[in-house]
Amino acid sequence: MSNKNTDYTADSIQSLEGIEHIRLRPSMYIGDVGIRGLHHLVCEVIDNSVDESLAGYCNKIWVTIHKNGFITVMDNGRGIPIEIHKKEGKSALEVVMTKIGAGGKFDKNSYKVSGGLHGVGISCVNALSKRLIVTVYRNGKIYQQEYLKGTPIDKVQCLGKTHLQGTKIHYLADNSIFNSITYHYEILSTRLKELAFLNKGLHLFLKDERNNIEEDFFSKNGLKEYLPILDKNQESLIKNIIFIEGEKEDTIVEVAMQYNTSFKEKIYSYVNNINTSEGGTHISGFRRALTRTFKKYTDRYGLLSNKDNKKDKVDLTGDDFREGLTAIISIRVMEPQFEGQTKTKLSNHEVGGIVDKIVGEMLNSYLEENPSERRKIIDKVILSAKARQAAKKARELIQKKSPIYNSILPGKLADCSFNNPENCEIYLVEGDSAGGTAKQGRDRSFQAILPLRGKILNVEKAMQYKIFENEEIRNIFTSLGVSIGTEEDPKNLNVKKLRYNKIIIMTDADIDGSHISTLILTLFFRYMKPLIEKGHIYIATPPLYLIRKGNHSQYAWSDEEREKIIQRLGKRKKINIQRYKGLGEMNAEQLWETTMNPKKRTLRKVYIENLSEADKIFSILMGEEVPPRRSFIEKNAIHAKIDV
């Protein structure tokens, strides 16, 4: 898709508008000014270099985290043009660095494929940096320009000759804008690893000078190597990965797919290296091709009906063909169109048909050539259909008891008196005893309490109909006012009647409490993910210690805080320290004061930072396979605190 005879010059740069307001409203451009926004800046710079790779001009990218807070990203691409821009009357380099919407991405001849659709990336990084130095190695010379808070302090300078070629961005994020400029190595290494699999043949190097860590990422076979990593905690149903690759109308399609013995569908999708977590037309095309192709075989061999007993007839839906499927879909499009600035859903209408055609043809060939594998998949599909029918009956039990359909709520729920969900919150409390204490200590006007009996069902291991038959899980659905599944979309979560703005998980501060909390989070992640994505899920933080000396008492939420309090009070012998093992050890007044009072409590908001990583961890921690869980525990045991 690259055209190596095309010149990348100053005339390729188109300027759309200025960037003065980026510093005033940074969250409009990068999401937030916390950890995610800080790392988003690094990824924007890296994506520019990857775009050079997609264009066919770059095969190495170096990323360095410096001790002084600076970040350096360097590539061996063409180098940003430095010639005078005709319209702006200044160096094209300066235009790219200081004008929002300015860049070669808008010129089809310079970049056929690009992830940086909106052209705001590098100018945003510049605007939100205290200091930035860009160095360009181009035409055998070194060019450099320095900026302070997005403003150039001088014109582009020529520093001499070089044999290198490429661009180097060296910047310090502005600590007056970001909450912190401390980088998390794992976030950047995860992204570089992902990019290596999505761009086979591209070398990416990451160096952390703070800890003397160096890592390089490279994949020769791309998605075929990536899929086993994403699916490593599952038992494969078929021997080999199904790999599909094709090009049509300047759109390249790559698909790696594998069936496993689970009943979960996992599809990871990318457009020009951007993770389209909300899907889009490329996913719709893939699903159409999958359903149509498999259905041809199930119809041909009469596998779905029993002529002697109509009750045994199984009607298949698209979902049945995707149960137990793990797939990665990566496409490259000349002019991607996304819904909204977040770029998480592709809207190009023509792409759906292209993916449908390529996947349909190649999948059909695979199934023709592999009859034994085809039979295994179809048997799994029929099993999925039967399980779905059982789940539908169980799901209807939830819907009948849900306030969407009538006003009957679980008897264990102590509801609040406010009716506006925006002002209401519910505590999911471990155990009837602690639930009773919470009911006494709460503010009845806006706080509801739902006690949960013991450990709820592990939804990672259970079949769907068993999940919806479980009383505790049905009580959670009904209390929240949400329902799951419609005829059009059996997996869709209906949140229109959500009864509480905050859903707070409150468990004991011990190992069992952590396990129960993880079980509840698994339920939300697998079956009520929109509640996490919309920011409704929180975890309560009860204290670990009550420290008394005479009439003075104080709470501590960590061992470090406990020691500081003891040092302030002096004379350890006269100090009484109570370690809270469970919520039931606190009376109603103490529980309110420490854990439920909005003016004093600490709530930890749950959000999904990396969808594929979260999916993998839930599979490891709560799945059937013991070896991956043992390996995870051994690897992370050093970070754990022993509860005695």
Side-chain angles (χ1 to χ4, degrees):
M1 291 177 67
S2 64
N3 183 353
K4 299 208 176 188
N5 296 319
T6 302
D7 291 334
Y8 180 41
T9 67
D11 293 335
S12 304
I13 306 301
Q14 297 180 21
S15 172
L16 301 182
E17 58 176 296
I19 60 167
E20 296 83 5
H21 53 304
I22 293 178
R23 289 182 61 82
L24 292 175
R25 300 206 190 317
S27 296
M28 287 178 59
Y29 298 89
I30 59 169
D32 63 33
V33 291
I35 294 298
R36 281 181 289 178
L38 179 72
H39 291 80
H40 184 77
L41 287 193
V42 188
C43 292
E44 284 283 5
V45 184
I46 295 169
D47 286 347
N48 279 354
S49 296
V50 174
D51 286 341
E52 276 288 279
S53 172
L54 290 176
Y57 298 99
C58 162
N59 65 358
K60 288 184 174 68
I61 300 170
W62 296 266
V63 181
T64 305
I65 309 168
H66 298 282
K67 290 180 181 178
N68 58 2
F70 272 84
I71 290 286
T72 299
V73 178
M74 182 174 176
D75 64 50
N76 64 346
R78 290 170 289 182
I80 300 172
I82 47 77
E83 300 83 9
I84 298 299
H85 191 280
K86 291 177 182 177
K87 180 182 175 183
E88 298 292 332
K90 60 180 74 171
S91 169
L93 174 61
E94 185 175 324
V95 175
V96 168
M97 300 300 298
T98 59
K99 296 284 185 181
I100 190 170
K105 314 295 172 61
F106 294 99
D107 180 20
K108 296 176 190 175
N109 294 320
S110 300
Y111 285 94
K112 293 286 185 183
V113 173
S114 165
L117 170 72
H118 302 297
V120 300
I122 196 64
S123 55
C124 272
V125 176
N126 195 15
L128 301 177
S129 296
K130 184 177 285 187
R131 184 182 176 206
L132 185 147
I133 301 169
V134 56
T135 307
V136 175
Y137 306 91
R138 185 177 168 91
N139 303 327
K141 294 181 180 179
I142 306 171
Y143 301 91
Q144 193 172 89
Q145 190 171 30
E146 186 172 348
Y147 307 83
L148 295 178
K149 297 181 178 179
T151 303
I153 61 173
D154 208 340
K155 293 182 178 180
V156 176
Q157 306 291 320
C158 181
L159 303 183
K161 296 181 179 181
T162 182
H163 64 281
L164 298 175
Q165 186 167 307
T167 302
K168 180 169 73 174
I169 304 292
H170 182 69
Y171 75 94
L172 178 67
D174 194 337
N175 59 2
S176 69
I177 290 176
F178 291 94
N179 299 335
S180 166
I181 56 169
T182 301
Y183 293 93
H184 293 204
Y185 182 86
E186 284 297 321
I187 294 176
L188 296 180
S189 65
T190 299
R191 176 57 177 162
L192 292 184
K193 182 179 180 181
E194 182 179 59
L195 286 170
F197 286 122
L198 292 170
N199 301 273
K200 55 188 174 188
L202 175 63
H203 291 263
L204 299 113
F205 306 89
L206 179 59
K207 183 177 182 180
D208 188 346
E209 293 182 345
R210 302 168 303 180
N211 306 307
N212 292 319
I213 300 174
E214 290 188 46
E215 213 173 345
D216 62 275
F217 306 91
F218 176 82
S219 174
K220 183 180 179 181
N221 296 310
L223 301 189
K224 284 188 277 189
E225 289 180 45
Y226 196 20
L227 188 68
I229 292 173
L230 294 176
D231 210 35
K232 70 178 181 180
N233 301 310
Q234 302 294 343
E235 180 185 347
S236 297
L237 185 69
I238 56 179
K239 290 181 180 180
N240 300 316
I241 290 170
I242 303 172
F243 183 71
I244 294 168
E245 188 174 28
E247 181 174 354
K248 185 175 173 20
E249 297 175 19
D250 283 328
T251 296
I252 293 176
V253 177
E254 275 189 278
V255 176
M257 53 187 282
Q258 170 74 289
Y259 278 90
N260 57 56
T261 56
S262 80
F263 287 86
K264 296 179 179 64
E265 170 196 355
K266 293 191 289 187
I267 296 180
Y268 304 88
S269 65
Y270 299 86
V271 175
N272 299 357
N273 293 315
I274 297 167
N275 186 340
T276 46
S277 58
E278 292 185 65
T281 53
H282 55 319
I283 300 303
S284 299
F286 170 75
R287 286 174 170 164
R288 282 199 307 271
L290 197 73
T291 301
R292 185 184 67 254
T293 306
F294 273 114
K295 199 169 188 308
K296 181 177 72 174
Y297 287 97
T298 55
D299 290 346
R300 180 188 300 177
Y301 297 115
L303 296 170
L304 303 183
S305 62
N306 185 325
K307 294 179 181 178
D308 298 325
N309 190 348
K310 292 183 178 180
K311 289 183 180 180
D312 290 339
K313 184 177 179 180
V314 180
D315 294 317
L316 298 183
T317 69
D319 281 339
D320 298 325
F321 293 104
R322 301 192 299 273
E323 294 283 355
L325 172 68
T326 300
I328 310 170
I329 301 163
S330 177
I331 68 165
R332 293 178 181 174
V333 189
M334 280 183 61
E335 295 184 20
Q337 297 167 15
F338 298 95
E339 291 185 16
Q341 288 278 359
T342 56
K343 305 183 191 177
T344 53
K345 188 173 184 180
L346 185 72
S347 59
N348 295 60
H349 177 71
E350 74 284 357
V351 170
I354 293 171
V355 175
D356 186 336
K357 185 172 178 57
I358 291 173
V359 172
E361 289 176 355
M362 296 196 71
L363 182 59
N364 185 68
S365 297
Y366 173 85
L367 295 176
E368 284 288 348
E369 295 166 8
N370 297 272
S372 62
E373 304 286 82
R374 180 180 71 217
R375 182 71 205 206
K376 287 178 185 176
I377 296 172
I378 290 174
D379 285 346
K380 176 74 162 56
V381 168
I382 294 171
L383 181 61
S384 298
K386 292 178 178 177
R388 173 179 51 81
Q389 290 174 348
K392 181 181 178 183
K393 293 177 183 177
R395 192 169 61 238
E396 286 170 354
L397 292 175
I398 293 176
Q399 293 174 338
K400 287 176 182 177
K401 293 189 176 184
S402 170
I404 295 173
Y405 300 93
N406 58 49
S407 59
I408 300 174
L409 292 169
K412 297 174 70 173
L413 173 69
D415 207 2
C416 55
S417 57
F418 286 175
N419 293 321
N420 185 351
E422 284 296 317
N423 303 323
C424 298
E425 57 189 42
I426 183 171
Y427 280 83
L428 307 181
V429 185
E430 172 190 352
D432 290 332
S433 176
T437 306
K439 288 177 184 179
Q440 295 173 30
R442 66 178 174 140
D443 185 325
R444 294 166 183 261
S445 61
F446 69 95
Q447 291 179 322
I449 307 295
L450 178 66
L452 300 175
R453 185 178 61 243
K455 296 177 180 178
I456 71 165
L457 182 70
N458 181 358
V459 301
E460 193 70 18
K461 296 180 180 180
M463 292 185 71
Q464 197 181 78
Y465 74 93
K466 289 288 186 184
I467 294 165
F468 296 124
E469 285 177 351
N470 182 269
E471 183 181 355
E472 295 295 306
I473 290 175
R474 288 212 311 266
N475 284 344
I476 292 173
F477 272 96
T478 308
S479 298
L480 297 182
V482 300
S483 63
I484 190 167
T486 61
E487 287 299 323
E488 296 76 22
D489 188 353
K491 293 183 179 179
N492 182 54
L493 184 74
N494 187 339
V495 297
K496 292 180 181 178
K497 299 288 186 178
L498 180 65
R499 305 180 66 244
Y500 309 97
N501 185 44
K502 284 188 175 70
I503 301 161
I504 304 163
I505 301 168
M506 187 161 71
T507 61
D508 292 345
D510 60 9
I511 298 300
D512 277 344
S514 296
H515 187 209
I516 292 169
S517 181
T518 305
L519 285 167
I520 298 170
L521 284 174
T522 308
L523 170 66
F524 281 122
F525 183 77
R526 294 301 185 200
Y527 289 91
M528 293 184 266
K529 194 181 297 172
L531 296 181
I532 302 177
E533 294 169 337
K534 294 177 186 296
H536 293 296
I537 309 299
Y538 297 81
I539 297 175
T541 314
L544 293 178
Y545 301 98
L546 172 60
I547 302 159
R548 290 192 182 95
K549 183 180 180 182
N551 294 325
H552 178 83
S553 63
Q554 200 167 344
Y555 296 97
W557 276 260
S558 67
D559 293 342
E560 294 79 9
E561 193 175 355
R562 177 196 64 187
E563 290 305 312
K564 287 179 182 178
I565 293 170
I566 291 170
Q567 288 175 14
R568 283 201 301 269
L569 295 176
K571 294 188 178 180
R572 183 183 287 265
K573 290 182 180 180
K574 295 185 178 181
I575 296 175
N576 177 268
I577 302 172
Q578 180 182 355
R579 168 67 162 94
Y580 287 124
K581 289 280 186 177
L583 299 170
E585 295 182 21
M586 284 184 275
N587 60 38
E589 184 180 347
Q590 290 172 327
L591 191 58
W592 164 258
E593 183 182 352
T594 61
T595 316
M596 301 181 71
N597 183 350
K599 294 180 180 179
K600 294 183 178 181
R601 72 186 179 189
T602 298
L603 295 181
R604 290 174 289 164
K605 192 171 188 176
V606 178
Y607 65 91
I608 303 168
E609 188 172 83
N610 185 305
L611 187 62
S612 61
E613 191 67 17
D615 180 84
K616 181 176 75 173
I617 290 173
F618 276 114
S619 294
I620 291 172
L621 292 179
M622 310 307 290
E624 295 279 6
E625 297 296 314
V626 174
R629 182 157 51 249
R630 183 186 296 118
S631 175
F632 180 88
I633 292 170
E634 288 172 352
K635 181 180 176 182
N636 293 278
I638 190 172
H639 305 298
K641 292 184 179 179
I642 299 173
D643 185 25
V644 294

